[in-house]
Structure formats: C-alpha cells, structure tokens
Amino acid sequence: GENVEQHPSTLSVQEGDSAVIKCTYSDSASNYFPWYKQELGKGPQLIIDIRSNVGEKKDQRIAVTLNKTAKHFSLHITETQPEDSAVYFCAAPEGSGGSNYKLTFGKGTLLTVNP
Amino acid sequence: DVKVTQSSRYLVKRTGEKVFLECVQDMDHENMFWYRQDPGLGLRLIYFSYDVKMKEKGDIPEGYSVSREKKERFSLILESASTNQTSMYLCASSLAGWVQPQHFGDGTRLSIL
C-alpha cells in the first residue's frame, strides 16, 4: 500500500513569514494529492489539492508543488497569519485505478503562527 | 456546501458495551468513510463504503463493524468496546469516481472507561 511521510511534525513561524510542509509518497501510480487543515475541535477541511498532470497550483496565499520524479509534494503558505495556526495533513491515494479510492494520510504538522 | 454530521461530539461508554457512532451526509455522496485519529498517528482508515450495503475493510478494522442501510447514513459499531478504542472518530464522504475530495464531519471523541 501507499506510504506517506510528512515533515516537520511541528512548525513555528512569525506572523508574515512563509511556512513549508513537505510530504513524500511511495506509490508512483498515485495521481491526486490533497492537503487538509484541521482547526481545534473541527474535522479536517480540504484547502487545496493537485493532480499529477500539473506541477504547481495556487490559491491566494496557499500553493502546492508536486515533483513526481522525486515523489514528493509540498504545501507553501505565504504571509502567514495567526488564523493559519492548525494541524495540516497531506494525503495520497493508493494506486491510480478503480472507481473507489482510499487515502493514506501523513501524520500531520502542527503549525503555530506567532503574532 | 457539503455537510457531514456526526451524531455525538463526545461520548463516554463502559468496557464491553456495544457502541454505535452515526454519520449522515446531505450531498448524495456514494462513498463514506470512518477514520480513527490518534496523536502522532494521524488518520487511519477503519472501514469505507462505496454503495448502500457495500463495505470494505480499511487498515484497522479489528474490533469494528459498519452498517450502511441508506445512502446518506453510515454507522460505525464497536461490538464490545475496549479501552484501546478510546479515540477521536471521524466520518467522511465523497462522490464516486477517482480523485474526489473527501469531506469530513467534526468528529466524535469517544472515551471507553
């Protein structure tokens, strides 16, 4: 099955700085990579995702980059704000075939943005 | 917006009890999932269902079963609760087909005493 590793496990930045979280995956057939944000007391919420036919996707202050050769993808948050403080999870599916898929999640990164 | 509702935010049960966790989604999604979330271990898939009355085991199905009698409702059952099943349980749903985003509920924090 898929193996997803996420680093770092904790990240502390000053407000306004950038934050980068990186994930590696093992299944070269994987072709969809979502990122989720989980605030305290809430369930994970999808914030951005990327498919393997593109190398980068941006949505305002958030971007995701994908390197299929190296089998890693990263979340970039620019101009961080205190409300970005949360746990972030990456995920990758098991394989690329079939009509139903399972996601394997990284273990999460606790991001703290200090005012 | 997709809404996934888990019936209880907090639940306290005793060892050996049969426990039911309920999840309802309102977007006519074909796929539904149950995860368990523990500190340092991330989200681990217990069971998922891709259609009514259909289910598949995830990575940690032992000690659990599921029921999906209606498309919008997916239940997780702890047949005989044990203390090592104390955890946060998350339900999610998605459309059928490849690469569909999963939408999560806010979780049920279950304590087994």
Side-chain angles (χ1 to χ4, degrees):
Chain A
E2 178 74 274
N3 183 40
V4 176
E5 295 198 0
Q6 181 173 346
H7 299 280
S9 56
T10 61
L11 179 59
S12 181
V13 300
Q14 289 299 122
E15 183 176 357
D17 287 350
S18 294
V20 181
I21 303 170
K22 181 175 175 179
C23 286
T24 60
Y25 61 97
S26 61
D27 188 342
S28 57
S30 292
N31 57 5
Y32 171 68
F33 306 94
W35 284 93
Y36 287 83
K37 175 184 181 182
Q38 186 176 26
E39 297 175 337
L40 199 61
K42 300 279 191 180
Q45 181 179 16
L46 180 71
I47 55 172
I48 196 167
D49 56 15
I50 191 168
R51 296 162 195 256
S52 60
N53 57 345
V54 297
E56 183 176 5
K57 183 177 177 181
K58 286 184 179 179
D59 183 3
Q60 299 182 15
R61 296 185 297 106
I62 293 173
V64 56
T65 59
L66 172 64
N67 183 327
K68 286 215 75 178
T69 302
K71 291 192 284 187
H72 69 71
F73 57 110
S74 300
L75 178 70
H76 304 253
I77 306 174
T78 58
E79 300 172 24
T80 53
Q81 302 168 3
E83 51 265 37
D84 294 328
S85 296
V87 178
Y88 291 82
F89 292 97
C90 64
E94 292 194 6
S96 61
S99 61
N100 308 291
Y101 72 100
K102 298 191 298 181
L103 287 176
T104 298
F105 286 82
K107 290 183 170 44
T109 297
L110 173 62
L111 173 64
T112 303
V113 180
N114 302 300
Chain B
D1 273 357
V2 176
K3 189 157 181 65
V4 178
T5 303
Q6 296 184 232
S7 56
S8 304
R9 292 300 306 274
Y10 301 94
L11 209 51
V12 180
K13 296 292 182 180
R14 297 258 174 220
T15 303
E17 280 192 68
K18 190 169 186 176
V19 180
F20 293 84
L21 303 184
E22 306 287 343
C23 175
V24 176
Q25 50 94 4
D26 66 357
M27 285 303 291
D28 204 33
H29 284 175
E30 289 80 9
N31 296 338
M32 295 190 76
F33 308 81
W34 274 107
Y35 292 89
R36 171 175 171 160
Q37 183 176 20
D38 299 288
L41 297 179
L43 279 70
R44 294 179 292 167
L45 182 65
I46 304 172
Y47 267 98
F48 72 102
S49 168
Y50 51 90
D51 201 352
V52 176
K53 297 191 187 295
M54 306 303 290
K55 61 185 180 185
E56 283 199 25
K57 293 180 180 179
D59 299 318
I60 52 165
E62 296 78 19
Y64 303 95
S65 62
V66 290
S67 172
R68 193 164 180 204
E69 297 296 319
K70 292 185 178 181
K71 190 176 185 180
E72 68 271 18
R73 187 179 297 271
F74 192 34
S75 302
L76 179 69
I77 304 158
L78 285 66
E79 297 291 344
S80 178
S82 64
T83 55
N84 62 11
Q85 292 179 308
T86 291
S87 187
M88 170 69 84
Y89 290 87
L90 291 163
C91 175
S93 71
S94 75
L95 289 167
W98 192 239
V99 297
Q100 297 297 331
Q102 293 185 20
H103 302 267
F104 284 84
D106 284 336
T108 295
R109 185 163 293 283
L110 175 65
S111 296
I112 306 296
L113 304 180

